[in-house]
Amino acid sequence: MEQLAAAGLDLVAIAILAFAVYFPRHRRRDLAVAFVGINVGVLAVSIVLGSATVGAGLGLGLFGVLSIIRLRSSEIEHSEIAYFFAALALGLIAGLSGGVTWLGVTLMALILVALAVIDSPALFRRYREQRLTLDRAYTDEVALRAVVEETLGARIHVLHVREVNLVSDTTVVDVRYAIDKNARRDAAAAHTRTLTQVGS
């Protein structure tokens, strides 16, 4: 009965993680379903492991193997990797604890609160990252930085040159930047003026 209560607690926790925290922010149905599926699978396996003579070391090994399988994909964002680990951790905590304990409840709540706060849209909302392909081959980093800042209307914090192609005359850069509030306001005003002119 205690194990069933722990399983129920896990289902509540993964539902909160996948559908109350993750999905409203990222809107990826496939990953929300994956989080629940992985969590329930890990929960079932960890219950079996907990009831057998094997130790928690095998459960942690399972944690590592399952995480590596999906995380090799390039389609998942770094922030979403945290949700995969959280889904795995919730299942292992509920499955290996043998019942509802204060430690298990506290750790599961800690995981949910940590992701809810750290992945909040209000936290570092001005900061972005992008990969840009420019229609000119830039070998001068100072000139490149100036062009990227003007293009994005933002303050560049980190700029990594990934490729300079002198044949096709292109430059590929990864940029981490902070959006300038004044630049965004000016761009919005310019867009409004353009729409007004087109309408008239």
Side-chain angles (χ1 to χ4, degrees):
M1 184 60 101
E2 289 186 0
Q3 192 68 71
L4 290 177
L9 178 63
D10 172 68
L11 293 177
V12 171
I14 190 60
I16 293 172
L17 179 73
F19 301 112
V21 178
Y22 173 78
F23 188 76
R25 296 174 180 178
H26 298 274
R27 298 294 177 181
R28 285 194 62 173
R29 178 183 176 276
D30 58 336
L31 285 183
V33 172
F35 296 148
V36 176
I38 286 177
N39 173 267
V40 173
V42 169
L43 173 67
V45 173
S46 60
I47 288 175
V48 173
L49 292 176
S51 62
T53 57
V54 295
L58 185 56
L60 293 176
L62 174 68
F63 179 95
V65 170
L66 290 176
S67 64
I68 290 172
I69 290 174
R70 183 63 179 90
L71 299 183
R72 291 178 63 86
S73 172
S74 60
E75 296 179 359
I76 184 171
E77 299 291 335
H78 291 292
S79 61
E80 293 169 332
I81 292 175
Y83 285 93
F84 264 102
F85 277 110
L88 292 167
L90 290 174
L92 284 174
I93 291 171
L96 294 176
S97 62
V100 177
T101 63
W102 283 112
L103 178 61
V105 172
T106 301
L107 290 175
M108 295 173 81
L110 178 63
I111 292 171
L112 294 176
V113 171
L115 278 177
V117 172
I118 293 173
D119 194 40
S120 171
L123 191 64
F124 304 122
R125 61 183 175 184
R126 292 179 52 240
Y127 292 87
R128 304 282 190 278
E129 57 182 275
Q130 279 193 50
R131 173 164 291 188
L132 300 178
T133 301
L134 305 175
D135 59 353
R136 180 179 168 188
Y138 289 92
T139 55
D140 183 350
E141 187 171 336
V142 175
L144 173 61
R145 180 178 289 269
V147 168
V148 172
E149 285 186 343
E150 182 179 357
T151 300
L152 295 175
R155 178 186 174 192
I156 306 300
H157 290 285
V158 179
L159 188 148
H160 290 298
V161 178
R162 294 300 180 188
E163 179 183 349
V164 177
N165 193 323
L166 299 176
V167 177
S168 62
D169 198 26
T170 58
T171 304
V172 179
V173 294
D174 287 339
V175 187
R176 297 173 190 170
Y177 60 96
I179 296 175
D180 188 341
K181 294 181 179 179
N182 295 328
R184 291 180 64 185
R185 187 163 52 248
D186 294 343
H191 181 66
T192 302
R193 286 196 298 270
T194 301
L195 292 177
T196 303
Q197 292 172 359
V198 170
S200 59

